[in-house]
Amino acid sequence: MGGQEDFRGVPSCHSTRQLHLCDPAKQFFNCPKCHRRHLPLPPSFEILTSSMPFCVLEISFNLLSSLKSSLWWQAERLVHRHISSPPPLDSQFTMSRKVVRTSKFRHVFGQAAKADQCYDDIRISQMTWDSNFCSVNPKFVAMIVDASGGGAFMVLPLNKTGRIDMSYPTVCGHTAPVLDIEFCPHNDNIIASSSEDCSVMIWEIPDGGLTTSLTEPVVKLEGHSKRVGILSWHPTAHNVLMSAGCDNVLILWNVARGEAMVRMDTLHTDLIYSACWNRDGSRILTSCKDKTLRVLDPRKGTVIYEKEKPHEGSRPVRAVFVSDGKILSTGFSRMSERQVALWDPKNFGEPLNLQELDTSSGVLLPFFDPDTGIVYLCGKGDSSIRYFEVTDEAPYVHYLSMYSSKESQKGMGYMPKRGLEVNKCEIARFYKLHERKCEPIVMTVPRKSDLFQEDLYPDTIGPEPSVEADEWFEGKEAKPILISLKDGFVATTKAKEFKVHKSLLKTTTASAGSQQDNTGEVQSLRKEVKDLKAALEELTKRVSELESKN
């Protein structure tokens, strides 16, 4: 084609405007006139009427003038449109509010502890069960570990950091791998464990940690016919424990009596993925393999609300109660994308919020902090922790940030609020399990002041129970007893003593009966040791008196 023809045709040289068109299949092109490689300009000028990229070698003064006048005309038209019909003020305000949302947790950041503050050389369990594998309180950190010929977990005082010796004592009373562990919220020395051997055991850890391996539990609870993978203590009632097994049965135990008080064996038609209490323990929330969320009345054993297919995918769903009775669930879409959703159980039709996160395959473990309204999502096999703020304003679930590291996590422990360092503005602390170590991760709100931040630390749940087990099973409700963290948590009263009513302890197995006898033998031995110590002190005193006379 000739040089005087329109430049929208095949690549050629326009003699008047001196334009060189480039090959659309190449990012760069060789100019046939100057033999140099050129980048195409973005196709935003009005001079272009085709999508073919081009570069400018020499542009005449007339072309520059036409471009300038065209751009000025467009700018004037936009200004005139804005002046003649400006957007309403309320929409401007809404738009600006959405762009920058006011929150004191916008700048929360996570930081891993230094190497000397980690727990090293610990053989974390290789089981593929989707539980936390770790439980923490202000005294101890417990981790499920590998064990030959049975199941075991390790309990370490928080200050015992560094390398842990291979011969360190463990809790090894189960005859099959341990699947879940959880400390009692009302006594930091009591921990429950569940196992593939279909049993639940209650253990008492002495102050200062174990000196010898622990093989005999305080109480052994037997009522499941298949492995038990979920444990959860009641938040306000003393000695009430919930367990869920692969037999699709959920049991509420009075631990002091060793008795199953409520047994729900017909509500779930398939494997129970998760089970948790609400803040005052008046409701239970479960997620099941039959793709249904259920809100249960714990004492009646009935379903109050249920939601089918909260997530379309077939992989496991987790759910927790959040503020104002709402429910936050994590699951997978039909395309195996991980999702997080917020639900109102009184209107289970549509989610209040549904967000797709990524395409990883790990199950997201949610941890909700009712004091700050922040939910932390920790994926098994991930190397990150996402955290969101749950509010009363749409869209209800607001993404804050993400903590990332290089190593993937095999499990995660979550410290209760009373175990945090308030003088450092620490709002959460996780204990991340690697293959061979446990690493604390601290979530902090950056503040310049060293004073107590009342807006970050409202009164939180303390260790004192609100009601006893027998009263709760009879129908008594009680709100959690709150404590202030202004001066740091200090135990003003002695920890609630764990008592087993031997005369009321109901067991159906010989092992449970022998356990009761063993407990009596231990107490008698302790009495004998005490008497021997008193006799030895008396003899020492008499010897010293005789030596002084001589």
Side-chain angles (χ1 to χ4, degrees), residues 230-258:
I230 299 173
L231 292 175
S232 183
W233 291 93
H234 194 284
T236 60
H238 191 216
N239 290 338
V240 175
L241 178 67
M242 173 176 61
S243 66
C246 293
D247 51 3
N248 310 337
V249 176
L250 192 145
I251 300 178
L252 302 184
W253 303 89
N254 185 334
V255 175
R257 295 173 178 266

PDB file of all heavy atoms in Angstrom, residues 230-258:
ATOM      1  N   ILE A 230     -12.416 -35.229  68.981  1.00  0.00           N
ATOM      2  CA  ILE A 230     -12.731 -33.843  69.345  1.00  0.00           C
ATOM      3  C   ILE A 230     -13.014 -33.760  70.838  1.00  0.00           C
ATOM      4  O   ILE A 230     -13.788 -34.560  71.376  1.00  0.00           O
ATOM      5  CB  ILE A 230     -13.960 -33.335  68.551  1.00  0.00           C
ATOM      6  CG1 ILE A 230     -13.684 -33.372  67.055  1.00  0.00           C
ATOM      7  CG2 ILE A 230     -14.336 -31.929  68.989  1.00  0.00           C
ATOM      8  CD1 ILE A 230     -14.893 -33.045  66.204  1.00  0.00           C
ATOM      9  N   LEU A 231     -12.386 -32.788  71.497  1.00  0.00           N
ATOM     10  CA  LEU A 231     -12.616 -32.508  72.920  1.00  0.00           C
ATOM     11  C   LEU A 231     -12.858 -31.021  73.103  1.00  0.00           C
ATOM     12  O   LEU A 231     -12.252 -30.194  72.414  1.00  0.00           O
ATOM     13  CB  LEU A 231     -11.415 -32.927  73.770  1.00  0.00           C
ATOM     14  CG  LEU A 231     -11.106 -34.418  73.901  1.00  0.00           C
ATOM     15  CD1 LEU A 231      -9.823 -34.605  74.685  1.00  0.00           C
ATOM     16  CD2 LEU A 231     -12.245 -35.150  74.581  1.00  0.00           C
ATOM     17  N   SER A 232     -13.735 -30.663  74.045  1.00  0.00           N
ATOM     18  CA  SER A 232     -13.953 -29.254  74.353  1.00  0.00           C
ATOM     19  C   SER A 232     -14.551 -29.124  75.753  1.00  0.00           C
ATOM     20  O   SER A 232     -15.607 -29.698  76.030  1.00  0.00           O
ATOM     21  CB  SER A 232     -14.892 -28.609  73.322  1.00  0.00           C
ATOM     22  OG  SER A 232     -15.048 -27.233  73.586  1.00  0.00           O
ATOM     23  N   TRP A 233     -13.870 -28.377  76.625  1.00  0.00           N
ATOM     24  CA  TRP A 233     -14.368 -28.124  77.982  1.00  0.00           C
ATOM     25  C   TRP A 233     -15.444 -27.054  77.947  1.00  0.00           C
ATOM     26  O   TRP A 233     -15.395 -26.133  77.129  1.00  0.00           O
ATOM     27  CB  TRP A 233     -13.239 -27.666  78.893  1.00  0.00           C
ATOM     28  CG  TRP A 233     -12.219 -28.705  79.224  1.00  0.00           C
ATOM     29  CD1 TRP A 233     -11.048 -28.938  78.575  1.00  0.00           C
ATOM     30  CD2 TRP A 233     -12.256 -29.634  80.317  1.00  0.00           C
ATOM     31  NE1 TRP A 233     -10.356 -29.961  79.180  1.00  0.00           N
ATOM     32  CE2 TRP A 233     -11.075 -30.406  80.254  1.00  0.00           C
ATOM     33  CE3 TRP A 233     -13.177 -29.892  81.332  1.00  0.00           C
ATOM     34  CZ2 TRP A 233     -10.791 -31.417  81.165  1.00  0.00           C
ATOM     35  CZ3 TRP A 233     -12.906 -30.896  82.245  1.00  0.00           C
ATOM     36  CH2 TRP A 233     -11.725 -31.641  82.156  1.00  0.00           C
ATOM     37  N   HIS A 234     -16.388 -27.159  78.865  1.00  0.00           N
ATOM     38  CA  HIS A 234     -17.431 -26.143  78.989  1.00  0.00           C
ATOM     39  C   HIS A 234     -16.802 -24.839  79.483  1.00  0.00           C
ATOM     40  O   HIS A 234     -15.974 -24.853  80.401  1.00  0.00           O
ATOM     41  CB  HIS A 234     -18.511 -26.605  79.967  1.00  0.00           C
ATOM     42  CG  HIS A 234     -19.774 -25.809  79.913  1.00  0.00           C
ATOM     43  ND1 HIS A 234     -19.880 -24.556  80.466  1.00  0.00           N
ATOM     44  CD2 HIS A 234     -20.986 -26.082  79.362  1.00  0.00           C
ATOM     45  CE1 HIS A 234     -21.100 -24.097  80.268  1.00  0.00           C
ATOM     46  NE2 HIS A 234     -21.789 -25.004  79.597  1.00  0.00           N
ATOM     47  N   PRO A 235     -17.152 -23.679  78.887  1.00  0.00           N
ATOM     48  CA  PRO A 235     -16.481 -22.427  79.261  1.00  0.00           C
ATOM     49  C   PRO A 235     -16.840 -21.902  80.649  1.00  0.00           C
ATOM     50  O   PRO A 235     -16.056 -21.153  81.240  1.00  0.00           O
ATOM     51  CB  PRO A 235     -16.936 -21.447  78.175  1.00  0.00           C
ATOM     52  CG  PRO A 235     -18.224 -22.014  77.678  1.00  0.00           C
ATOM     53  CD  PRO A 235     -18.098 -23.503  77.784  1.00  0.00           C
ATOM     54  N   THR A 236     -18.005 -22.262  81.205  1.00  0.00           N
ATOM     55  CA  THR A 236     -18.407 -21.690  82.495  1.00  0.00           C
ATOM     56  C   THR A 236     -18.707 -22.736  83.561  1.00  0.00           C
ATOM     57  O   THR A 236     -18.588 -22.453  84.746  1.00  0.00           O
ATOM     58  CB  THR A 236     -19.658 -20.799  82.329  1.00  0.00           C
ATOM     59  OG1 THR A 236     -20.742 -21.596  81.819  1.00  0.00           O
ATOM     60  CG2 THR A 236     -19.384 -19.657  81.375  1.00  0.00           C
ATOM     61  N   ALA A 237     -19.112 -23.949  83.183  1.00  0.00           N
ATOM     62  CA  ALA A 237     -19.471 -24.984  84.154  1.00  0.00           C
ATOM     63  C   ALA A 237     -18.236 -25.813  84.512  1.00  0.00           C
ATOM     64  O   ALA A 237     -17.466 -26.211  83.633  1.00  0.00           O
ATOM     65  CB  ALA A 237     -20.573 -25.884  83.601  1.00  0.00           C
ATOM     66  N   HIS A 238     -18.083 -26.093  85.784  1.00  0.00           N
ATOM     67  CA  HIS A 238     -16.917 -26.822  86.267  1.00  0.00           C
ATOM     68  C   HIS A 238     -17.063 -28.317  85.989  1.00  0.00           C
ATOM     69  O   HIS A 238     -18.106 -28.921  86.256  1.00  0.00           O
ATOM     70  CB  HIS A 238     -16.768 -26.584  87.777  1.00  0.00           C
ATOM     71  CG  HIS A 238     -15.475 -27.052  88.340  1.00  0.00           C
ATOM     72  ND1 HIS A 238     -15.356 -27.614  89.587  1.00  0.00           N
ATOM     73  CD2 HIS A 238     -14.223 -27.057  87.811  1.00  0.00           C
ATOM     74  CE1 HIS A 238     -14.097 -27.933  89.808  1.00  0.00           C
ATOM     75  NE2 HIS A 238     -13.390 -27.600  88.750  1.00  0.00           N
ATOM     76  N   ASN A 239     -16.001 -28.928  85.435  1.00  0.00           N
ATOM     77  CA  ASN A 239     -15.934 -30.382  85.222  1.00  0.00           C
ATOM     78  C   ASN A 239     -16.952 -30.903  84.210  1.00  0.00           C
ATOM     79  O   ASN A 239     -17.416 -32.035  84.320  1.00  0.00           O
ATOM     80  CB  ASN A 239     -16.102 -31.149  86.549  1.00  0.00           C
ATOM     81  CG  ASN A 239     -14.899 -30.993  87.458  1.00  0.00           C
ATOM     82  OD1 ASN A 239     -13.805 -30.679  86.989  1.00  0.00           O
ATOM     83  ND2 ASN A 239     -15.097 -31.186  88.745  1.00  0.00           N
ATOM     84  N   VAL A 240     -17.293 -30.097  83.211  1.00  0.00           N
ATOM     85  CA  VAL A 240     -18.154 -30.557  82.131  1.00  0.00           C
ATOM     86  C   VAL A 240     -17.314 -30.606  80.857  1.00  0.00           C
ATOM     87  O   VAL A 240     -16.701 -29.605  80.468  1.00  0.00           O
ATOM     88  CB  VAL A 240     -19.369 -29.634  81.929  1.00  0.00           C
ATOM     89  CG1 VAL A 240     -20.186 -30.075  80.716  1.00  0.00           C
ATOM     90  CG2 VAL A 240     -20.239 -29.632  83.177  1.00  0.00           C
ATOM     91  N   LEU A 241     -17.274 -31.777  80.219  1.00  0.00           N
ATOM     92  CA  LEU A 241     -16.441 -31.995  79.040  1.00  0.00           C
ATOM     93  C   LEU A 241     -17.289 -32.565  77.909  1.00  0.00           C
ATOM     94  O   LEU A 241     -18.130 -33.438  78.133  1.00  0.00           O
ATOM     95  CB  LEU A 241     -15.299 -32.963  79.369  1.00  0.00           C
ATOM     96  CG  LEU A 241     -14.350 -33.341  78.222  1.00  0.00           C
ATOM     97  CD1 LEU A 241     -13.531 -32.126  77.787  1.00  0.00           C
ATOM     98  CD2 LEU A 241     -13.417 -34.475  78.648  1.00  0.00           C
ATOM     99  N   MET A 242     -17.060 -32.069  76.699  1.00  0.00           N
ATOM    100  CA  MET A 242     -17.732 -32.588  75.510  1.00  0.00           C
ATOM    101  C   MET A 242     -16.735 -33.378  74.675  1.00  0.00           C
ATOM    102  O   MET A 242     -15.595 -32.946  74.479  1.00  0.00           O
ATOM    103  CB  MET A 242     -18.307 -31.445  74.677  1.00  0.00           C
ATOM    104  CG  MET A 242     -18.869 -31.875  73.330  1.00  0.00           C
ATOM    105  SD  MET A 242     -19.638 -30.514  72.421  1.00  0.00           S
ATOM    106  CE  MET A 242     -18.256 -29.400  72.214  1.00  0.00           C
ATOM    107  N   SER A 243     -17.169 -34.535  74.179  1.00  0.00           N
ATOM    108  CA  SER A 243     -16.327 -35.344  73.295  1.00  0.00           C
ATOM    109  C   SER A 243     -17.157 -35.790  72.103  1.00  0.00           C
ATOM    110  O   SER A 243     -18.361 -36.022  72.215  1.00  0.00           O
ATOM    111  CB  SER A 243     -15.770 -36.563  74.029  1.00  0.00           C
ATOM    112  OG  SER A 243     -16.803 -37.459  74.396  1.00  0.00           O
ATOM    113  N   ALA A 244     -16.496 -35.892  70.949  1.00  0.00           N
ATOM    114  CA  ALA A 244     -17.148 -36.350  69.722  1.00  0.00           C
ATOM    115  C   ALA A 244     -16.243 -37.360  69.051  1.00  0.00           C
ATOM    116  O   ALA A 244     -15.021 -37.150  68.964  1.00  0.00           O
ATOM    117  CB  ALA A 244     -17.438 -35.181  68.781  1.00  0.00           C
ATOM    118  N   GLY A 245     -16.836 -38.465  68.592  1.00  0.00           N
ATOM    119  CA  GLY A 245     -16.050 -39.541  68.014  1.00  0.00           C
ATOM    120  C   GLY A 245     -16.449 -39.860  66.595  1.00  0.00           C
ATOM    121  O   GLY A 245     -17.418 -39.309  66.039  1.00  0.00           O
ATOM    122  N   CYS A 246     -15.698 -40.777  65.988  1.00  0.00           N
ATOM    123  CA  CYS A 246     -15.977 -41.207  64.622  1.00  0.00           C
ATOM    124  C   CYS A 246     -17.179 -42.142  64.550  1.00  0.00           C
ATOM    125  O   CYS A 246     -17.533 -42.622  63.460  1.00  0.00           O
ATOM    126  CB  CYS A 246     -14.741 -41.886  64.033  1.00  0.00           C
ATOM    127  SG  CYS A 246     -13.367 -40.751  63.810  1.00  0.00           S
ATOM    128  N   ASP A 247     -17.801 -42.424  65.698  1.00  0.00           N
ATOM    129  CA  ASP A 247     -19.057 -43.181  65.700  1.00  0.00           C
ATOM    130  C   ASP A 247     -20.264 -42.258  65.547  1.00  0.00           C
ATOM    131  O   ASP A 247     -21.404 -42.696  65.771  1.00  0.00           O
ATOM    132  CB  ASP A 247     -19.176 -44.002  66.990  1.00  0.00           C
ATOM    133  CG  ASP A 247     -18.935 -43.159  68.241  1.00  0.00           C
ATOM    134  OD1 ASP A 247     -18.734 -41.934  68.092  1.00  0.00           O
ATOM    135  OD2 ASP A 247     -18.938 -43.713  69.354  1.00  0.00           O
ATOM    136  N   ASN A 248     -19.998 -40.976  65.205  1.00  0.00           N
ATOM    137  CA  ASN A 248     -21.043 -39.960  64.990  1.00  0.00           C
ATOM    138  C   ASN A 248     -21.814 -39.655  66.269  1.00  0.00           C
ATOM    139  O   ASN A 248     -22.960 -39.200  66.215  1.00  0.00           O
ATOM    140  CB  ASN A 248     -22.029 -40.394  63.897  1.00  0.00           C
ATOM    141  CG  ASN A 248     -21.348 -40.856  62.630  1.00  0.00           C
ATOM    142  OD1 ASN A 248     -20.204 -40.483  62.367  1.00  0.00           O
ATOM    143  ND2 ASN A 248     -22.033 -41.679  61.861  1.00  0.00           N
ATOM    144  N   VAL A 249     -21.197 -39.888  67.415  1.00  0.00           N
ATOM    145  CA  VAL A 249     -21.839 -39.675  68.716  1.00  0.00           C
ATOM    146  C   VAL A 249     -21.147 -38.518  69.428  1.00  0.00           C
ATOM    147  O   VAL A 249     -19.916 -38.398  69.421  1.00  0.00           O
ATOM    148  CB  VAL A 249     -21.759 -40.949  69.582  1.00  0.00           C
ATOM    149  CG1 VAL A 249     -22.345 -40.692  70.964  1.00  0.00           C
ATOM    150  CG2 VAL A 249     -22.496 -42.093  68.898  1.00  0.00           C
ATOM    151  N   LEU A 250     -21.956 -37.660  70.046  1.00  0.00           N
ATOM    152  CA  LEU A 250     -21.456 -36.555  70.855  1.00  0.00           C
ATOM    153  C   LEU A 250     -21.919 -36.776  72.295  1.00  0.00           C
ATOM    154  O   LEU A 250     -23.108 -36.992  72.541  1.00  0.00           O
ATOM    155  CB  LEU A 250     -21.975 -35.232  70.307  1.00  0.00           C
ATOM    156  CG  LEU A 250     -21.347 -33.944  70.846  1.00  0.00           C
ATOM    157  CD1 LEU A 250     -21.274 -32.893  69.755  1.00  0.00           C
ATOM    158  CD2 LEU A 250     -22.133 -33.398  72.019  1.00  0.00           C
ATOM    159  N   ILE A 251     -20.971 -36.745  73.247  1.00  0.00           N
ATOM    160  CA  ILE A 251     -21.255 -37.053  74.646  1.00  0.00           C
ATOM    161  C   ILE A 251     -20.832 -35.881  75.524  1.00  0.00           C
ATOM    162  O   ILE A 251     -19.752 -35.309  75.341  1.00  0.00           O
ATOM    163  CB  ILE A 251     -20.531 -38.335  75.103  1.00  0.00           C
ATOM    164  CG1 ILE A 251     -20.970 -39.536  74.257  1.00  0.00           C
ATOM    165  CG2 ILE A 251     -20.806 -38.622  76.578  1.00  0.00           C
ATOM    166  CD1 ILE A 251     -20.258 -40.837  74.609  1.00  0.00           C
ATOM    167  N   LEU A 252     -21.683 -35.534  76.507  1.00  0.00           N
ATOM    168  CA  LEU A 252     -21.345 -34.565  77.543  1.00  0.00           C
ATOM    169  C   LEU A 252     -21.089 -35.326  78.834  1.00  0.00           C
ATOM    170  O   LEU A 252     -21.943 -36.089  79.302  1.00  0.00           O
ATOM    171  CB  LEU A 252     -22.478 -33.557  77.736  1.00  0.00           C
ATOM    172  CG  LEU A 252     -22.888 -32.741  76.504  1.00  0.00           C
ATOM    173  CD1 LEU A 252     -23.946 -31.712  76.886  1.00  0.00           C
ATOM    174  CD2 LEU A 252     -21.691 -32.052  75.872  1.00  0.00           C
ATOM    175  N   TRP A 253     -19.902 -35.120  79.414  1.00  0.00           N
ATOM    176  CA  TRP A 253     -19.467 -35.855  80.595  1.00  0.00           C
ATOM    177  C   TRP A 253     -19.484 -34.977  81.829  1.00  0.00           C
ATOM    178  O   TRP A 253     -19.124 -33.796  81.771  1.00  0.00           O
ATOM    179  CB  TRP A 253     -18.041 -36.373  80.411  1.00  0.00           C
ATOM    180  CG  TRP A 253     -17.817 -37.253  79.215  1.00  0.00           C
ATOM    181  CD1 TRP A 253     -17.465 -36.849  77.956  1.00  0.00           C
ATOM    182  CD2 TRP A 253     -17.904 -38.680  79.166  1.00  0.00           C
ATOM    183  NE1 TRP A 253     -17.332 -37.930  77.130  1.00  0.00           N
ATOM    184  CE2 TRP A 253     -17.593 -39.075  77.846  1.00  0.00           C
ATOM    185  CE3 TRP A 253     -18.211 -39.665  80.109  1.00  0.00           C
ATOM    186  CZ2 TRP A 253     -17.573 -40.400  77.442  1.00  0.00           C
ATOM    187  CZ3 TRP A 253     -18.200 -40.985  79.704  1.00  0.00           C
ATOM    188  CH2 TRP A 253     -17.889 -41.352  78.389  1.00  0.00           C
ATOM    189  N   ASN A 254     -19.880 -35.557  82.958  1.00  0.00           N
ATOM    190  CA  ASN A 254     -19.579 -34.990  84.266  1.00  0.00           C
ATOM    191  C   ASN A 254     -18.297 -35.670  84.717  1.00  0.00           C
ATOM    192  O   ASN A 254     -18.297 -36.816  85.158  1.00  0.00           O
ATOM    193  CB  ASN A 254     -20.713 -35.266  85.252  1.00  0.00           C
ATOM    194  CG  ASN A 254     -20.489 -34.591  86.591  1.00  0.00           C
ATOM    195  OD1 ASN A 254     -19.349 -34.324  86.992  1.00  0.00           O
ATOM    196  ND2 ASN A 254     -21.562 -34.317  87.318  1.00  0.00           N
ATOM    197  N   VAL A 255     -17.172 -34.970  84.561  1.00  0.00           N
ATOM    198  CA  VAL A 255     -15.865 -35.586  84.755  1.00  0.00           C
ATOM    199  C   VAL A 255     -15.669 -36.017  86.200  1.00  0.00           C
ATOM    200  O   VAL A 255     -15.083 -37.072  86.480  1.00  0.00           O
ATOM    201  CB  VAL A 255     -14.759 -34.612  84.303  1.00  0.00           C
ATOM    202  CG1 VAL A 255     -13.387 -35.170  84.611  1.00  0.00           C
ATOM    203  CG2 VAL A 255     -14.876 -34.328  82.813  1.00  0.00           C
ATOM    204  N   ALA A 256     -16.159 -35.236  87.158  1.00  0.00           N
ATOM    205  CA  ALA A 256     -15.976 -35.577  88.565  1.00  0.00           C
ATOM    206  C   ALA A 256     -16.667 -36.892  88.915  1.00  0.00           C
ATOM    207  O   ALA A 256     -16.199 -37.644  89.774  1.00  0.00           O
ATOM    208  CB  ALA A 256     -16.490 -34.452  89.458  1.00  0.00           C
ATOM    209  N   ARG A 257     -17.767 -37.186  88.251  1.00  0.00           N
ATOM    210  CA  ARG A 257     -18.474 -38.443  88.484  1.00  0.00           C
ATOM    211  C   ARG A 257     -18.004 -39.550  87.535  1.00  0.00           C
ATOM    212  O   ARG A 257     -18.320 -40.723  87.740  1.00  0.00           O
ATOM    213  CB  ARG A 257     -19.980 -38.245  88.304  1.00  0.00           C
ATOM    214  CG  ARG A 257     -20.630 -37.330  89.317  1.00  0.00           C
ATOM    215  CD  ARG A 257     -22.086 -37.088  88.938  1.00  0.00           C
ATOM    216  NE  ARG A 257     -22.771 -36.248  89.921  1.00  0.00           N
ATOM    217  CZ  ARG A 257     -23.479 -36.723  90.944  1.00  0.00           C
ATOM    218  NH1 ARG A 257     -23.581 -38.018  91.124  1.00  0.00           N
ATOM    219  NH2 ARG A 257     -24.075 -35.907  91.796  1.00  0.00           N
ATOM    220  N   GLY A 258     -17.333 -39.166  86.462  1.00  0.00           N
ATOM    221  CA  GLY A 258     -16.953 -40.132  85.461  1.00  0.00           C
ATOM    222  C   GLY A 258     -18.143 -40.694  84.721  1.00  0.00           C
ATOM    223  O   GLY A 258     -18.148 -41.849  84.287  1.00  0.00           O
TER     224      GLY A 258
END
